[in-house]
Coordinates of all heavy atoms in Angstrom, one line a residue:
A1 N 55.8 -23.9 9.4 CA 55.9 -25.3 8.9 C 54.5 -25.9 8.9 O 53.6 -25.6 9.7 CB 56.7 -26.1 9.9
V2 N 54.3 -26.7 7.9 CA 53.0 -27.5 7.8 C 53.3 -28.9 8.1 O 54.4 -29.5 7.8 CB 52.4 -27.3 6.4 CG1 52.0 -25.9 6.1 CG2 53.3 -27.8 5.3
G3 N 52.3 -29.6 8.7 CA 52.5 -31.0 9.2 C 51.7 -32.0 8.5 O 50.7 -31.7 7.9
D4 N 52.2 -33.2 8.5 CA 51.5 -34.4 8.0 C 51.6 -35.4 9.1 O 52.6 -36.1 9.2 CB 52.2 -34.8 6.7 CG 51.4 -36.0 6.1 OD1 50.6 -36.6 6.7 OD2 51.8 -36.4 4.9
V5 N 50.5 -35.5 9.9 CA 50.5 -36.5 11.0 C 50.7 -37.9 10.5 O 51.4 -38.7 11.1 CB 49.2 -36.4 11.8 CG1 49.1 -37.4 12.9 CG2 49.1 -35.0 12.5
D6 N 50.1 -38.2 9.4 CA 50.2 -39.6 8.8 C 51.6 -40.0 8.5 O 52.0 -41.1 8.5 CB 49.3 -39.8 7.6 CG 47.8 -39.7 8.0 OD1 47.5 -40.0 9.2 OD2 47.0 -39.3 7.2
A7 N 52.4 -39.0 8.0 CA 53.8 -39.2 7.6 C 54.8 -38.9 8.7 O 56.0 -39.1 8.5 CB 54.1 -38.4 6.4
D8 N 54.3 -38.5 9.9 CA 55.2 -38.2 11.0 C 56.2 -37.2 10.6 O 57.4 -37.3 10.9 CB 55.8 -39.5 11.6 CG 56.8 -39.2 12.7 OD1 56.5 -38.2 13.4 OD2 57.8 -39.9 12.9
A9 N 55.8 -36.1 9.9 CA 56.8 -35.1 9.5 C 56.1 -33.8 9.3 O 54.9 -33.7 9.1 CB 57.4 -35.6 8.2
L10 N 57.0 -32.8 9.5 CA 56.5 -31.4 9.1 C 57.5 -30.9 8.0 O 58.6 -31.4 7.9 CB 56.5 -30.5 10.3 CG 57.7 -30.2 11.2 CD1 58.7 -29.4 10.5 CD2 57.3 -29.6 12.5
T11 N 57.0 -29.9 7.3 CA 57.9 -29.3 6.2 C 57.9 -27.8 6.4 O 56.9 -27.2 6.6 CB 57.3 -29.6 4.8 OG1 57.2 -31.0 4.6 CG2 58.1 -29.0 3.7
Y12 N 59.1 -27.3 6.4 CA 59.2 -25.8 6.5 C 58.9 -25.2 5.2 O 59.5 -25.5 4.2 CB 60.7 -25.5 7.0 CG 61.0 -26.0 8.4 CD1 62.0 -27.0 8.5 CD2 60.4 -25.6 9.5 CE1 62.3 -27.6 9.7 CE2 60.7 -26.1 10.7 CZ 61.6 -27.1 10.9 OH 61.9 -27.6 12.1
V13 N 57.9 -24.3 5.2 CA 57.5 -23.7 4.0 C 57.8 -22.2 3.8 O 57.7 -21.6 2.8 CB 56.0 -23.9 3.8 CG1 55.7 -25.4 3.6 CG2 55.2 -23.3 4.9
D14 N 58.3 -21.6 4.9 CA 58.7 -20.2 4.9 C 59.6 -19.9 6.0 O 59.6 -20.6 7.1 CB 57.5 -19.3 5.0 CG 57.7 -17.9 4.4 OD1 58.8 -17.6 4.0 OD2 56.8 -17.1 4.4
V15 N 60.6 -19.0 5.8 CA 61.6 -18.7 6.8 C 62.0 -17.2 6.7 O 62.1 -16.7 5.6 CB 62.8 -19.6 6.7 CG1 63.4 -19.5 5.3 CG2 63.8 -19.3 7.7
I16 N 62.2 -16.6 7.9 CA 62.8 -15.3 8.0 C 64.0 -15.5 8.9 O 63.8 -15.7 10.1 CB 61.8 -14.2 8.5 CG1 60.6 -14.0 7.6 CG2 62.6 -12.9 8.8 CD1 59.6 -13.1 8.1
E17 N 65.2 -15.3 8.4 CA 66.4 -15.6 9.2 C 66.7 -14.4 10.1 O 66.5 -13.3 9.8 CB 67.5 -15.9 8.2 CG 67.4 -17.3 7.6 CD 68.8 -17.8 7.2 OE1 69.8 -17.1 7.2 OE2 68.9 -19.0 6.7
S18 N 67.3 -14.8 11.2 CA 67.8 -13.8 12.2 C 68.9 -13.1 11.6 O 69.7 -13.6 10.8 CB 68.2 -14.5 13.5 OG 68.9 -13.7 14.3
R19 N 69.1 -11.8 12.1 CA 70.3 -11.0 11.6 C 71.5 -11.3 12.5 O 72.6 -10.8 12.2 CB 69.9 -9.5 11.7 CG 68.8 -9.2 10.7 CD 68.5 -7.7 10.8 NE 67.4 -7.3 9.9 CZ 66.9 -6.1 9.8 NH1 67.3 -5.1 10.6 NH2 65.9 -5.9 8.9
N20 N 71.3 -12.1 13.6 CA 72.5 -12.5 14.4 C 73.5 -13.2 13.6 O 73.1 -14.1 12.8 CB 72.0 -13.3 15.6 CG 71.3 -12.4 16.6 OD1 71.8 -11.5 17.1 ND2 70.1 -12.8 16.9
A21 N 74.8 -13.0 13.9 CA 75.8 -13.7 13.2 C 75.7 -15.2 13.5 O 75.9 -16.0 12.6 CB 77.2 -13.2 13.6
V22 N 75.4 -15.5 14.8 CA 75.2 -16.9 15.1 C 73.7 -17.1 15.2 O 73.0 -16.5 16.0 CB 75.8 -17.3 16.5 CG1 75.5 -18.7 16.9 CG2 77.3 -17.0 16.4
R23 N 73.2 -18.0 14.3 CA 71.7 -18.1 14.2 C 71.4 -19.6 13.8 O 72.2 -20.3 13.2 CB 71.1 -17.1 13.3 CG 71.6 -17.3 11.8 CD 71.0 -16.2 11.0 NE 71.5 -16.3 9.6 CZ 72.5 -15.6 9.1 NH1 73.2 -14.8 9.9 NH2 72.8 -15.7 7.8
F24 N 70.1 -19.9 14.0 CA 69.6 -21.2 13.5 C 69.3 -21.0 12.1 O 68.7 -20.1 11.7 CB 68.4 -21.6 14.3 CG 67.8 -22.9 13.9 CD1 68.3 -24.1 14.4 CD2 66.8 -23.0 12.9 CE1 67.8 -25.3 14.0 CE2 66.3 -24.2 12.6 CZ 66.8 -25.4 13.1
S25 N 69.7 -22.0 11.2 CA 69.4 -21.9 9.8 C 68.7 -23.2 9.3 O 69.1 -24.3 9.7 CB 70.8 -21.7 9.0 OG 70.5 -21.5 7.7
V26 N 67.7 -22.9 8.5 CA 67.0 -24.1 7.9 C 66.5 -23.6 6.5 O 66.3 -22.4 6.3 CB 65.8 -24.5 8.8 CG1 64.7 -23.4 8.8 CG2 65.2 -25.8 8.3
S27 N 66.4 -24.6 5.6 CA 65.9 -24.2 4.2 C 64.5 -24.6 4.0 O 64.0 -25.5 4.6 CB 66.8 -25.0 3.2 OG 68.2 -24.7 3.3
V28 N 63.8 -23.7 3.2 CA 62.4 -24.0 2.8 C 62.4 -25.4 2.1 O 63.3 -25.7 1.2 CB 61.9 -22.9 1.9 CG1 60.6 -23.4 1.3 CG2 61.7 -21.7 2.7
G29 N 61.5 -26.3 2.5 CA 61.4 -27.6 2.0 C 62.0 -28.7 2.8 O 61.8 -29.9 2.6
D30 N 62.8 -28.3 3.8 CA 63.4 -29.2 4.8 C 62.3 -29.9 5.6 O 61.3 -29.3 5.9 CB 64.4 -28.6 5.8 CG 65.7 -28.3 5.1 OD1 65.9 -28.6 3.9 OD2 66.6 -27.7 5.8
R31 N 62.4 -31.2 5.9 CA 61.4 -31.9 6.6 C 62.1 -32.4 7.9 O 63.2 -32.8 8.0 CB 60.9 -33.1 5.8 CG 60.0 -32.7 4.7 CD 59.7 -33.8 3.7 NE 58.9 -34.9 4.3 CZ 57.6 -34.9 4.5 NH1 56.9 -33.8 4.1 NH2 57.0 -35.9 5.0
R32 N 61.2 -32.5 9.0 CA 61.7 -33.0 10.3 C 60.6 -33.8 10.9 O 59.4 -33.6 10.6 CB 62.0 -31.8 11.2 CG 63.1 -30.9 10.7 CD 64.5 -31.5 10.9 NE 65.5 -30.5 10.7 CZ 66.0 -30.3 9.5 NH1 65.6 -30.9 8.4 NH2 67.0 -29.4 9.3
P33 N 61.0 -34.7 11.8 CA 59.9 -35.5 12.5 C 59.1 -34.7 13.4 O 59.5 -33.6 13.9 CB 60.7 -36.5 13.3 CG 62.1 -36.5 12.7 CD 62.3 -35.1 12.2
L34 N 57.8 -35.1 13.6 CA 56.9 -34.3 14.5 C 57.3 -34.5 15.9 O 57.2 -33.5 16.7 CB 55.5 -34.8 14.3 CG 54.8 -34.6 12.9 CD1 53.4 -35.2 12.9 CD2 54.8 -33.1 12.6
F35 N 57.7 -35.7 16.4 CA 57.8 -36.0 17.8 C 58.9 -35.2 18.5 O 58.8 -35.0 19.7 CB 58.0 -37.5 18.0 CG 59.4 -38.0 17.8 CD1 60.3 -38.1 18.8 CD2 59.7 -38.4 16.5 CE1 61.6 -38.5 18.6 CE2 61.0 -38.9 16.2 CZ 61.9 -38.9 17.3
C36 N 59.9 -34.8 17.8 CA 61.1 -34.2 18.4 C 61.3 -32.7 18.1 O 62.3 -32.1 18.4 CB 62.3 -35.0 18.1 SG 62.7 -35.0 16.4
T37 N 60.3 -32.1 17.4 CA 60.4 -30.7 17.0 C 59.3 -29.9 17.7 O 58.2 -30.4 18.0 CB 60.3 -30.5 15.5 OG1 59.0 -31.1 15.0 CG2 61.4 -31.1 14.7
A38 N 59.6 -28.6 18.0 CA 58.6 -27.8 18.6 C 57.4 -27.6 17.7 O 56.3 -27.7 18.2 CB 59.3 -26.4 18.9
G39 N 57.6 -27.4 16.4 CA 56.5 -27.3 15.5 C 55.7 -28.5 15.4 O 54.4 -28.4 15.4
G40 N 56.3 -29.7 15.4 CA 55.6 -30.9 15.3 C 54.7 -31.2 16.6 O 53.6 -31.6 16.5

């Protein structure tokens, strides 16, 4: 993910999904706040 501190957000730009049947899923281009995400 790349971040934009001024916009208080990060954007996921690449993903490799787990092969586990139960897994975390996110789409390239999704944005999340910085303060509550590990990446942020």
Side-chain angles (χ1 to χ4, degrees):
V2 296
D4 182 349
V5 173
D6 294 332
D8 179 27
L10 58 74
T11 302
Y12 298 112
V13 296
D14 201 359
V15 57
I16 297 176
E17 288 203 351
S18 168
R19 295 178 182 177
N20 286 303
V22 178
R23 61 183 181 267
F24 181 86
S25 184
V26 67
S27 298
V28 170
D30 283 357
R31 288 168 65 83
R32 297 286 188 275
L34 295 178
F35 76 93
C36 61
T37 54

